[in-house]
Amino acid sequence: MSGLVIEREVLIEAPAEVVWRTITEPDQITQWFASRVELVVEPGAHGYMEFGDQGGPVVVEAVDPPTRFSFRWNHPRGEEPVAGNSMLVEFTLTPEGDEQTRLRVVESGHELCAWPDAEKERYAEEHQEGWVEFLDRLAVLVAKRRL
Amino acid sequence: MAAGITVPADEELWSAIADPSRRQVLDLLVSHGAVSASWLAGRVPFTRQAVSKHLVVLERTGLISRRKQGREVLYQVEAERLDQAARAMAELAAQWDRRLGAIKRLAEAAHAENASKNPHDQ
């Protein structure tokens, strides 16, 4: 979905099953994300991720191998991460042929998480421009005006 | 906030620009400079009251500021804050690009290793 906080993608020369293991297995996650990972890949499972000297709980949301994996993180300490107080990270894996996988990640923020799906869809349709592009465009416009 | 994001997640800022109506207001302020709430209300499909609320939220994030000119209150974009916000967003995107790049390298290496171990499976 476009228009959310951050949306990035990459094309990987490996089948979806291999990419799936890379993004879900704790000893793999430590190589691209957190420095320590305690995680059971089951919907609703509570885990923990450490980043250097900081750390925080994560909660697994969707587990649909090998196409969809999402978790919530970055919520206030001591609070259950739910829609409205946390960031949702959603991975989508799309096979392209036998040997390639398109991996997309969307990290969405507090307010958006709490929106009903219909609202999110309308928002995405009206605002194809992502937040990064939106702010960037505004910043460039402002800079031009100041010249 | 729990730790983990190296760029601080600016909740207020994100909430502010998450709203499509506020993005519209911000867009108008960027393209037209210092304008009043009534001027804005004439150019958006929502009420003057809604415009005022959006201006309050945007002002709280520091993205816009107000000044008095005669009897009018004019709103304008704070270029430096906007620039800072754009850079923070770009850095968050770059963080994910680095992570996706690492995932790509790991998965491709694992795949190459599988292929060399099981050449007959290919």
Side-chain angles (χ1 to χ4, degrees), chain A residues 1 5 21 25 27 29 38 46 54 66 83 100 109 111 136 139 141 144:
Chain A
M1 192 187 300
V5 184
R21 288 198 293 276
E25 287 176 5
D27 67 333
I29 298 173
E38 287 165 22
H46 287 240
Q54 302 177 311
Q100 290 188 327
E111 198 163 298
D136 208 46
L141 277 174
K144 272 191 194 151

CSV table of all heavy atoms in Angstrom, one decimal, chain A residues 1 5 21 25 27 29 38 46 54 66 83 100 109 111 136 139 141 144:
chain,number,residue,atom,x,y,z
A,1,MET,N,0.8,-1.2,0.0
A,1,MET,CA,0.0,0.0,0.0
A,1,MET,C,0.9,1.2,0.0
A,1,MET,O,1.8,1.3,0.8
A,1,MET,CB,-0.9,0.0,1.2
A,1,MET,CG,-2.0,1.0,1.2
A,1,MET,SD,-2.8,1.0,2.8
A,1,MET,CE,-3.4,-0.6,2.9
A,5,VAL,N,3.9,5.3,6.1
A,5,VAL,CA,5.1,6.0,6.6
A,5,VAL,C,6.3,5.7,5.7
A,5,VAL,O,6.9,6.6,5.1
A,5,VAL,CB,5.5,5.5,8.0
A,5,VAL,CG1,6.7,6.3,8.5
A,5,VAL,CG2,4.3,5.7,8.9
A,21,ARG,N,13.1,-17.5,5.4
A,21,ARG,CA,13.9,-17.9,6.6
A,21,ARG,C,14.8,-16.8,7.0
A,21,ARG,O,15.1,-16.6,8.2
A,21,ARG,CB,14.8,-19.1,6.2
A,21,ARG,CG,14.0,-20.4,6.1
A,21,ARG,CD,14.9,-21.6,6.1
A,21,ARG,NE,15.7,-21.8,5.0
A,21,ARG,CZ,15.4,-22.4,3.8
A,21,ARG,NH1,14.1,-22.8,3.7
A,21,ARG,NH2,16.2,-22.5,2.8
A,25,GLU,N,14.0,-16.1,10.9
A,25,GLU,CA,14.8,-16.9,11.9
A,25,GLU,C,15.7,-16.0,12.8
A,25,GLU,O,16.4,-15.2,12.2
A,25,GLU,CB,15.6,-18.0,11.2
A,25,GLU,CG,14.7,-19.1,10.6
A,25,GLU,CD,15.5,-20.1,9.8
A,25,GLU,OE1,16.8,-20.0,9.7
A,25,GLU,OE2,14.9,-21.0,9.3
A,27,ASP,N,18.4,-16.3,14.4
A,27,ASP,CA,19.9,-16.1,14.1
A,27,ASP,C,20.2,-15.4,12.8
A,27,ASP,O,21.3,-15.0,12.5
A,27,ASP,CB,20.6,-17.5,14.2
A,27,ASP,CG,20.1,-18.4,13.0
A,27,ASP,OD1,19.0,-18.3,12.5
A,27,ASP,OD2,20.9,-19.3,12.7
A,29,ILE,N,17.9,-12.9,11.8
A,29,ILE,CA,17.4,-11.5,12.1
A,29,ILE,C,18.6,-10.7,12.7
A,29,ILE,O,18.7,-9.5,12.4
A,29,ILE,CB,16.2,-11.5,13.0
A,29,ILE,CG1,15.0,-12.2,12.3
A,29,ILE,CG2,15.8,-10.0,13.3
A,29,ILE,CD1,13.8,-12.4,13.2
A,38,GLU,N,14.9,-12.6,20.5
A,38,GLU,CA,14.1,-13.8,21.1
A,38,GLU,C,12.8,-13.7,20.5
A,38,GLU,O,12.0,-12.8,20.7
A,38,GLU,CB,14.0,-13.6,22.6
A,38,GLU,CG,15.2,-13.9,23.4
A,38,GLU,CD,15.1,-13.4,24.8
A,38,GLU,OE1,14.0,-13.2,25.3
A,38,GLU,OE2,16.2,-13.1,25.4
A,46,HIS,N,4.9,-13.1,21.9
A,46,HIS,CA,5.7,-11.9,22.4
A,46,HIS,C,7.2,-12.3,22.4
A,46,HIS,O,7.6,-13.3,22.8
A,46,HIS,CB,5.3,-11.6,23.8
A,46,HIS,CG,3.9,-11.0,23.9
A,46,HIS,ND1,3.7,-9.7,24.5
A,46,HIS,CD2,2.7,-11.4,23.5
A,46,HIS,CE1,2.4,-9.4,24.4
A,46,HIS,NE2,1.8,-10.4,23.8
A,54,GLN,N,20.3,-1.0,23.9
A,54,GLN,CA,18.8,-0.8,24.1
A,54,GLN,C,18.0,-2.0,23.6
A,54,GLN,O,18.5,-2.7,22.8
A,54,GLN,CB,18.4,0.5,23.3
A,54,GLN,CG,19.2,1.7,23.7
A,54,GLN,CD,18.8,2.9,22.8
A,54,GLN,OE1,18.8,2.8,21.6
A,54,GLN,NE2,18.5,4.0,23.5
A,66,PRO,N,5.2,-18.6,2.7
A,66,PRO,CA,6.3,-17.7,2.7
A,66,PRO,C,6.0,-16.3,2.1
A,66,PRO,O,6.8,-15.7,1.4
A,66,PRO,CB,7.3,-18.4,1.8
A,66,PRO,CG,6.4,-19.0,0.7
A,66,PRO,CD,5.1,-19.2,1.3
A,83,ALA,N,-2.5,-1.7,18.1
A,83,ALA,CA,-2.8,-0.6,17.1
A,83,ALA,C,-2.9,0.6,17.9
A,83,ALA,O,-3.7,0.7,18.9
A,83,ALA,CB,-4.0,-1.0,16.3
A,100,GLN,N,13.5,-15.7,-8.2
A,100,GLN,CA,13.5,-14.4,-7.7
A,100,GLN,C,12.3,-14.1,-6.7
A,100,GLN,O,11.3,-14.6,-6.9
A,100,GLN,CB,13.5,-13.4,-8.8
A,100,GLN,CG,14.7,-13.3,-9.6
A,100,GLN,CD,14.7,-12.2,-10.6
A,100,GLN,OE1,13.7,-11.8,-11.1
A,100,GLN,NE2,15.9,-11.6,-10.9
A,109,GLY,N,2.8,4.0,11.0
A,109,GLY,CA,2.8,4.7,12.3
A,109,GLY,C,1.6,4.5,13.1
A,109,GLY,O,0.6,3.9,12.7
A,111,GLU,N,-1.0,6.6,14.2
A,111,GLU,CA,-2.4,7.0,13.8
A,111,GLU,C,-2.9,6.0,12.8
A,111,GLU,O,-4.1,5.6,12.9
A,111,GLU,CB,-2.3,8.4,13.3
A,111,GLU,CG,-3.7,9.0,13.3
A,111,GLU,CD,-3.5,10.5,13.2
A,111,GLU,OE1,-3.0,11.1,14.1
A,111,GLU,OE2,-4.0,11.1,12.2
A,136,ASP,N,9.9,15.5,1.1
A,136,ASP,CA,11.0,15.9,0.3
A,136,ASP,C,10.6,16.9,-0.7
A,136,ASP,O,11.3,17.9,-0.9
A,136,ASP,CB,11.6,14.6,-0.4
A,136,ASP,CG,13.0,14.7,-0.8
A,136,ASP,OD1,13.8,15.2,0.2
A,136,ASP,OD2,13.4,14.5,-1.9
A,139,ALA,N,10.0,20.2,1.0
A,139,ALA,CA,11.3,20.8,1.4
A,139,ALA,C,12.0,21.5,0.2
A,139,ALA,O,12.5,22.6,0.3
A,139,ALA,CB,12.2,19.8,2.1
A,141,LEU,N,10.5,22.6,-2.6
A,141,LEU,CA,9.7,23.7,-2.9
A,141,LEU,C,10.0,24.9,-2.1
A,141,LEU,O,10.2,26.0,-2.5
A,141,LEU,CB,8.2,23.4,-2.8
A,141,LEU,CG,7.5,22.7,-3.9
A,141,LEU,CD1,6.1,22.3,-3.6
A,141,LEU,CD2,7.5,23.6,-5.2
A,144,LYS,N,13.4,26.4,-2.9
A,144,LYS,CA,13.4,27.1,-4.1
A,144,LYS,C,12.8,28.5,-3.9
A,144,LYS,O,13.3,29.5,-4.4
A,144,LYS,CB,12.5,26.4,-5.1
A,144,LYS,CG,13.3,25.4,-6.0
A,144,LYS,CD,12.4,25.0,-7.1
A,144,LYS,CE,13.0,23.7,-7.8
A,144,LYS,NZ,11.9,22.9,-8.3
